[in-house]
Amino acid sequence: INAEYMGGGVRTNPRTLVVSFDGCPNDPYHPASMPIYQTATFVQPSGSEFGPYDYTRSGNPTRTALETLMANLEHAFAAFAFTSGMSALTTVLHLLKAGDEVLACSDLYGGMHRLLTQVCSRQGIAVKFVDTTQLSKVEGVISKQTRLVHVETPSNPLMRVTDLRKLAAVCKKYGALLSVDSTMMSPILMHPLQLGADVVMHSATKFISGHSDVMAGIVCVANEDLAKQIGFLQNAQGTALAPFDCWLLLRGVKTMALRVERQQHNASVVARYLARNRLIKQLHYVGSMGRNSDDTRLLSLTPHQQEVHSRQAKGAGSVLSFETGDVVFSRRLVDAVRLFKITVSFGSCNSLIEMPCTLSHASIPSEKRTLPADLVRLSIGIEDATDLVDDLERAFALAASDVLDVRAIPDQLVCAAAARASLPPSPRSSGASQEGQVNGDVGNLKDLED
């Protein structure tokens, strides 16, 4: 463990810290930007002693700067940067041994589900999935063999909320570690270690980078013992993040607060539009919609769950999902957007859209998948919020039309179609087939294909 990891530094507001952080205070040239130490090895002072760094797998000044900043942002004892979010998750699971048990929230990232069910289970580690939003269910399955409880809150993609303070108390009662994947919130909106968690991880590919140009994972820990274990595993397994990728994260993180807050504002605008859209059956969003019944009727979260989230986070974030009641309609909607990019990721500065069952969570076997097949997930970016709503409105109009190939309609004709189309005043009949196509809800747009 490098000395720079220790202590945590001065507690500065994260909005200020991401900009003012000095990653190389001892550099005699005082660069305004942290340099990239693009080297595999370092010259040692003599044949019988080590310098501060010897081999980049074991340590690198650029990585130390990133890890120090992340430790400060998460109020952690130490932080570690890995080659991907999955690499970070794998390292946390390597804290376990054969005979141990891990409990995981039932709604979680498909890659983590695959890691738990297809890798950990072959290593003699018992895996159980449980609805962590109900602590009584956790207490019903946790045991003395439970070494780790792993949760996402809000979860991906159904945005379910777990009370971290209460769950941490249950974990401590049974001597289990609490690991929180806080990718959805970022260090700007939530600090799980201060809520009782032992480990917090991020897919830094998402909000920390913010530009979809680097893959990385971050693990932050609450105490020295865990720091030594994670540090050993990072070095022994060779999973540390390369210097150039560390530099990309250091560059991206400077605008993280601005991006996250703008994305969150835009998401609230989009959520209100969706909440009033009669083509949507249910909306999964952790933000408050006020007391207007028209805005809250579609929300899947209860007022209590929203209250729990507001107590442990500083905002709703910018990821939300919704159900349309029709798989084909959802597919047509995703294909019809223009500003939103179809991708498995989230947290980028541009807006993204996907259907989890066919993309980000496709690795979960269909018989084990608990997600609605028609679910659509949105990650809201920093674009103008009105443009995003307009893009969705045009996409809904096309998806509900009788146009066969919604992807083939030129942008200017989509605008014209949306301008003269109006969404149906009431939801489609409950008898509509999940696999059937929605026909004629906004008039005949077939001529746009010609």
Side-chain angles (χ1 to χ4, degrees), residues 200-245:
V200 58
M201 68 80 52
H202 296 271
S203 173
T205 311
K206 313 299 193 295
F207 291 104
I208 295 172
S209 164
H211 296 80
S212 299
D213 56 7
V214 61
M215 289 182 62
I218 300 291
V219 172
C220 303
V221 295
N223 58 61
E224 183 176 5
D225 180 58
L226 284 171
K228 288 181 177 179
Q229 293 182 66
I230 296 294
F232 170 80
L233 290 168
Q234 183 192 55
N235 184 43
Q237 296 172 162
T239 52
L241 193 63
F244 183 67
D245 291 338

Side-chain angles (χ1 to χ4, degrees), residues 62-373:
T62 311
R63 191 166 76 243
T64 295
L66 172 64
E67 292 174 330
T68 302
L69 174 57
M70 294 310 304
N72 289 345
L73 285 171
E74 281 291 3
H75 304 280
F77 182 85
F80 303 86
F82 294 88
T83 53
S84 68
M86 289 308 305
S87 179
L89 286 168
T90 300
T91 302
V92 172
L93 291 175
H94 281 165
L95 295 172
L96 281 60
K97 64 182 185 302
D100 287 341
E101 179 182 81
V102 55
L103 300 185
C105 57
S106 53
D107 180 46
L108 83 170
Y109 171 52
M112 183 57 166
H113 186 280
R114 175 176 53 202
L115 180 63
L116 288 169
T117 58
Q118 300 184 43
V119 179
C120 283
S121 58
R122 295 188 305 182
Q123 298 173 340
I125 297 171
V127 177
K128 293 181 180 178
F129 295 97
V130 60
D131 182 1
T132 56
T133 67
Q134 300 184 46
L135 290 180
S136 60
K137 292 187 176 182
V138 176
E139 293 189 281
V141 296
I142 195 170
S143 67
K144 294 181 179 179
Q145 284 70 47
T146 305
R147 167 70 170 150
L148 180 72
V149 176
H150 177 80
V151 299
E152 298 173 2
T153 183
S155 63
N156 176 19
L158 294 178
M159 311 304 293
R160 293 173 178 166
V161 175
T162 296
D163 191 324
L164 292 180
R165 285 189 179 91
K166 291 184 178 180
L167 181 59
V170 173
C171 290
K172 286 178 171 55
K173 176 182 176 181
Y174 287 88
L177 296 173
L178 175 57
S179 166
V180 178
D181 184 338
S182 193
T183 301
M184 196 77 78
M185 289 287 94
S186 84
I188 300 299
L189 298 180
M190 190 168 72
H191 301 110
L193 297 180
Q194 293 190 313
L195 299 171
D198 301 288
V199 179
V200 58
M201 68 80 52
H202 296 271
S203 173
T205 311
K206 313 299 193 295
F207 291 104
I208 295 172
S209 164
H211 296 80
S212 299
D213 56 7
V214 61
M215 289 182 62
I218 300 291
V219 172
C220 303
V221 295
N223 58 61
E224 183 176 5
D225 180 58
L226 284 171
K228 288 181 177 179
Q229 293 182 66
I230 296 294
F232 170 80
L233 290 168
Q234 183 192 55
N235 184 43
Q237 296 172 162
T239 52
L241 193 63
F244 183 67
D245 291 338
C246 290
W247 183 84
L248 284 175
L249 285 186
L250 285 167
R251 183 182 65 166
V253 78
K254 289 181 179 180
T255 60
M256 179 170 62
L258 289 173
R259 287 185 282 103
V260 166
E261 289 168 358
R262 174 58 181 264
Q263 289 171 276
Q264 181 171 255
H265 166 75
N266 284 354
S268 68
V269 175
V270 171
R272 288 188 181 278
Y273 160 72
L274 294 172
R276 299 173 184 179
N277 191 317
R278 301 277 181 183
L279 292 172
I280 289 179
K281 300 296 184 184
Q282 193 161 49
L283 176 62
H284 306 284
Y285 176 63
V286 296
S288 172
M289 306 291 282
R291 297 183 179 181
N292 190 327
S293 59
D294 287 340
D295 290 343
T296 60
R297 65 183 179 86
L298 297 179
L299 287 177
S300 62
L301 265 70
T302 65
H304 172 70
Q305 289 174 315
Q306 289 181 328
E307 180 186 356
V308 169
H309 179 77
S310 66
R311 288 200 307 263
Q312 61 190 23
K314 298 177 182 177
S318 56
V319 180
L320 59 151
S321 61
F322 58 88
E323 301 167 45
T324 67
D326 192 304
V327 174
V328 173
F329 182 85
S330 293
R331 191 177 302 135
R332 285 168 59 81
L333 174 69
V334 170
D335 286 341
V337 293
R338 293 296 184 266
L339 289 180
F340 286 80
K341 299 180 184 298
I342 303 174
T343 175
V344 298
S345 192
F346 63 86
S348 174
C349 57
N350 55 280
S351 294
L352 313 172
I353 189 171
E354 67 138 358
M355 292 181 68
C357 287
T358 57
L359 290 177
S360 63
H361 291 63
S363 61
I364 303 176
S366 58
E367 65 273 12
K368 297 181 179 179
R369 199 181 299 143
T370 59
L371 302 177

Side-chain angles (χ1 to χ4, degrees), residues 324-332 374 399-401 428 431-439 441:
T324 67
D326 192 304
V327 174
V328 173
F329 182 85
S330 293
R331 191 177 302 135
R332 285 168 59 81
D374 62 309
S401 76
R428 296 187 301 279
S433 168
Q434 279 283 314
E435 293 292 342
Q437 181 173 340
V438 180
N439 293 311
D441 281 341

Side-chain angles (χ1 to χ4, degrees), residues 378-399:
L378 300 181
S379 173
I380 307 302
I382 64 173
E383 304 93 342
D384 183 85
T386 302
D387 289 339
L388 295 176
V389 171
D390 287 347
D391 189 38
L392 288 170
E393 193 165 26
R394 292 192 297 269
F396 273 104
L398 275 176

